[in-house]
């Protein structure tokens, strides 16, 4: 049965459909490679192999109730005393929470802005002016505590807090999320007596969405943590089974087999614009984890149908060195019927009475069939709908799949030595002491 015919039941947390990929990677090949994926998964679960001191993310879905309570209480205080929260962080220190918040507009009534993720003067001056008449708090997130983009934005925002509310009233508007013991931010927070939450030392940035790094901004925005973590618990249990039906292992095997045969780009395509930032989170997770030793699929993304009018041509007829993975939600959270028009000058009455989500679904099914017919390996990851629970499932699905893919490629998925290269050269150019 093809994914387009499948009825996703509310109880199905995720459906992976590889029917259209089997022409390129057969079921026999997947079955033959499965023992290698089991070994890779088991080495992760036994905390062995390269990067084994960065496996704390496997335990994050089961965050203790006491910690969830502390995060929820702090989030409630910030909501009660402010009009908005500014989250300052870059890379793994903001992409996960932003992905969840943008995916769940219904669950996030409290405004959260993101800063510290670029060096644009225009962005920073617009941000500072937008805060002129707002009661705001700042959540600064940095594991190392020394990241330049984060530190610059945080310094500017501290200045704005002092200007707006006075030096004595600034401290209660700052929450710092950083290493529990070391780093400049930890030291600053201790000296200034800011409220803090720890980033577990055995959790790397891009694997930290279910730690306070993601949970505090999400809770402040309004996302129920029980839903997000509940989905993550069911996801981590499901995707760490040494079982041939484990979707994360099957997905990892398809991508690594195709990569071994010359596929160099994986495009994550979604038909839900609210998942655009989720795709950015996935790009960081996959790119920073797997792009090493001149290996790894280059992770790209498209938001459809928008990008069918820009990248659709390439996907249909361009270089066949791509794999396309569709990320789909079966059911919309809300819907709108297309109205009937007596004149029908726009010739749309043939779909009047149908909903926009119905048309979106048919666009997905048509695109899947077209790209498959265009000789592109395509697969589909489908969740029932975009909810805190399904996001929890998706976060854990991709975390396990990328970790296993990295292990299959023989690299350490949990370090990022290449990121230092630009920093060293930039610091030298900036004449930072010691460079
Ligand atoms: O995944 C990673 O480790 C990186 O993307 C980091 O999250 C990013 O560089 C920010 O680092 P830090 O939290 O130390 O400021």
């Amino acid at each position: 049965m093809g994914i387009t015919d499948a009825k996703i039941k509310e109880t199905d947390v995720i459906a992976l459909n590889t029917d259209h990929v089997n022409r390129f990677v057969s079921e026999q090949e997947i079955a033959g490679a499965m023992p290698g994926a089991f070994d890779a998964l088991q080495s992760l679960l036994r905390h062995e192999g390269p990067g084994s001191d960065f496996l704390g993310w496997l335990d994050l879905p089961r965050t203790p109730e006491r910690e969830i309570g502390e995060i929820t209480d702090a989030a409630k205080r910030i909501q009660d005393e402010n009009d908005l929260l500014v989250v300052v962080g870059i890379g793994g220190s903001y992409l996960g929470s932003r992905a969840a918040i943008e995916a769940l507009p219904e669950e996030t009534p409290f405004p959260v802005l993101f800063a510290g993720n670029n060096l644009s003067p225009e962005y920073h001056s617009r941000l500072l002016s937008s805060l002129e008449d707002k009661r705001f708090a700042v959540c600064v997130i940095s594991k190392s505590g020394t990241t330049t983009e984060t530190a610059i934005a945080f310094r500017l925002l501290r200045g704005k807090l002092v200007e707006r509310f006075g030096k004595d009233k600034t401290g209660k508007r700052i929450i710092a999320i950083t290493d529990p013991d070391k780093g400049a931010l930890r030291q600053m927070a201790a000296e200034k007596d800011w409220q803090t939450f720890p980033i577990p030392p055995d959790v790397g940035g891009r694997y930290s969405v279910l730690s306070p790094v993601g949970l505090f901004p999400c809770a402040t925005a309004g996302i129920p943590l029980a839903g997000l973590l509940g989905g993550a618990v069911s996801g981590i249990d499901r995707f760490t089974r040494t079982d041939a039906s484990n979707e994360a292992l099957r997905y990892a095997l398809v991508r690594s087999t195709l990569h071994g045969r010359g596929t160099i780009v994986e495009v994550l395509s979604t038909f839900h614009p609210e998942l655009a930032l989720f795709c950015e989170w996935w790009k960081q997770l996959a790119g920073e984890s797997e792009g090493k030793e001149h290996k790894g699929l280059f992770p790209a993304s498209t938001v459809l149908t928008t990008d069918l009018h820009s990248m659709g041509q390439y996907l249909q007829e361009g270089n066949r060195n791509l794999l396309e993975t569709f990320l789909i939600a079966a059911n919309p959270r809300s819907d709108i019927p297309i109205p009937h028009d007596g004149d029908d000058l726009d010739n749309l009455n043939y779909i009047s009475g149908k909903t926009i989500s119905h048309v979106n679904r048919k666009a997905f099914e048509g695109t899947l069939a077209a790209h498959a017919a265009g000789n592109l390996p395509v697969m589909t990851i489908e969740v029932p709908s975009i909810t805190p629970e399904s996001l929890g499932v998706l976060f854990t699905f991709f975390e396990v799949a990328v970790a296993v893919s990295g292990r299959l490629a023989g690299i350490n998925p949990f370090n990022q030595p290449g990121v230092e290269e630009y920093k060293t050269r930039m610091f030298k150019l900036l004449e930072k002491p010691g460079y």
Side-chain angles (χ1 to χ4, degrees):
M1 181 170 65
I3 189 74
T4 53
D5 305 314
K7 290 273 174 291
I8 303 295
K9 295 195 291 291
E10 283 309 315
T11 48
D12 286 340
V13 289
I14 201 167
L16 171 73
N17 189 295
T18 53
D19 287 358
H20 289 290
V21 120
N22 287 153
R23 215 152 31 107
F24 303 89
V25 185
S26 69
E27 277 304 322
Q28 289 89 323
E29 282 178 287
I30 296 176
M34 194 55 83
F38 289 165
D39 287 348
L41 176 63
Q42 277 163 348
S43 78
L44 291 166
L45 298 177
R46 285 196 304 264
H47 285 232
E48 288 170 3
S52 58
D53 42 350
F54 280 95
L55 291 168
W57 55 275
L58 286 161
D59 302 319
L60 291 176
R62 291 194 161 81
T63 297
E65 285 297 328
R66 184 186 48 78
E67 284 171 38
I68 298 173
E70 284 169 15
I71 291 171
T72 313
D73 289 349
K76 175 89 178 56
R77 178 179 70 77
I78 294 296
Q79 288 172 346
D80 289 346
E81 296 171 2
N82 297 281
D83 302 319
L84 64 89
L85 174 71
V86 185
V87 172
V88 188
I90 194 165
S93 287
Y94 92 107
L95 280 165
S97 63
R98 190 164 180 190
I101 290 168
E102 298 212 0
L104 297 168
E106 280 92 357
E107 275 86 359
T108 50
F110 189 82
V112 174
L113 305 181
F114 291 89
N117 55 61
N118 65 65
L119 290 169
S120 153
E122 293 84 0
Y123 171 81
H124 286 87
S125 58
R126 278 197 304 273
L127 172 73
L128 293 172
S129 336
S130 76
L131 297 172
E132 263 338 316
D133 55 348
K134 300 280 190 312
R135 293 176 309 153
F136 69 97
V138 173
C139 171
V140 56
I141 307 178
S142 176
K143 187 168 181 200
S144 62
T146 53
T147 301
T148 311
E149 292 89 337
T150 309
I152 291 174
F154 185 42
R155 189 181 272 207
L156 291 170
L157 286 160
R158 283 201 312 278
K160 189 52 125 186
L161 283 172
V162 172
E163 180 193 310
R164 288 288 320 282
F165 308 109
K167 210 169 176 186
D168 296 347
K169 303 231 168 73
T170 290
K172 68 174 187 139
R173 291 179 186 271
I174 296 177
I175 305 265
I177 301 181
T178 187
D179 185 278
D181 305 308
K182 54 183 197 304
L185 184 55
R186 172 56 58 184
Q187 202 182 334
M188 218 193 291
E191 267 175 38
K192 306 277 184 190
D193 205 21
W194 297 329
Q195 181 166 13
T196 63
F197 290 104
I199 306 177
D202 58 353
V203 173
R206 59 192 173 275
Y207 274 85
S208 69
V209 58
L210 300 172
S211 79
V213 170
L215 297 182
F216 177 74
C218 285
T220 307
I223 296 174
L225 297 188
L228 190 64
L229 290 169
V233 167
S234 81
I236 205 78
D237 288 350
R238 188 176 175 113
F239 305 127
T240 52
R241 284 173 305 141
T242 35
D243 179 328
S245 66
N246 180 333
E247 295 88 348
L249 301 187
R250 287 176 59 78
Y251 168 68
L253 284 175
V254 168
R255 48 203 302 281
S256 79
T257 307
L258 286 171
H259 187 37
R261 289 188 187 147
T263 297
I264 56 168
V265 178
E266 180 177 4
V267 183
L268 189 65
S269 291
T270 185
F271 279 77
H272 312 285
E274 56 274 43
L275 291 181
L277 257 291
F278 185 90
C279 295
E280 295 302 316
W281 171 83
W282 169 80
K283 276 152 76 172
Q284 190 219 358
L285 180 75
E288 225 170 66
S289 300
E290 297 181 71
K292 285 161 204 169
E293 300 178 23
H294 296 179
K295 298 182 198 167
L297 287 164
F298 181 85
S301 63
T302 63
V303 178
L304 310 178
T305 59
T306 309
D307 290 337
L308 287 174
H309 299 260
S310 68
M311 299 308 290
Q313 172 61 35
Y314 194 104
L315 289 164
Q316 191 64 46
E317 295 184 344
N319 197 328
R320 299 296 77 180
N321 59 2
L322 311 170
L323 154 69
E324 187 173 30
T325 302
F326 290 98
L327 176 59
I328 297 298
N331 307 300
R333 305 283 301 271
S334 62
D335 218 342
I336 299 185
I338 294 160
H340 183 80
D341 184 315
D343 296 336
D344 196 26
L345 294 175
D346 51 10
N347 299 319
L348 266 190
N349 275 355
Y350 78 104
I351 45 171
S352 70
K354 305 273 191 221
T355 59
I356 293 185
S357 79
H358 171 82
V359 180
N360 202 30
R361 181 80 197 184
K362 295 301 158 200
F364 155 58
E365 292 174 7
T367 305
L368 176 81
H371 291 183
N375 220 21
L376 202 62
V378 289
M379 55 182 162
T380 303
I381 294 161
E382 184 155 3
V383 291
S385 58
I386 306 170
T387 59
E389 289 78 4
S390 66
L391 283 179
V393 172
L394 285 171
F395 281 133
T396 53
F397 170 81
F398 284 112
E399 286 176 344
V400 173
V402 166
V404 168
S405 299
R407 284 288 166 87
L408 289 171
I411 52 97
N412 176 356
F414 306 112
N415 64 3
Q416 53 285 326
V419 177
E420 296 311 309
E421 192 65 32
Y422 99 90
K423 291 187 193 168
T424 309
R425 288 168 197 258
M426 174 180 77
F427 290 149
K428 203 166 178 216
L429 293 167
L430 288 169
E431 297 176 31
K432 182 174 177 171
Y435 286 82

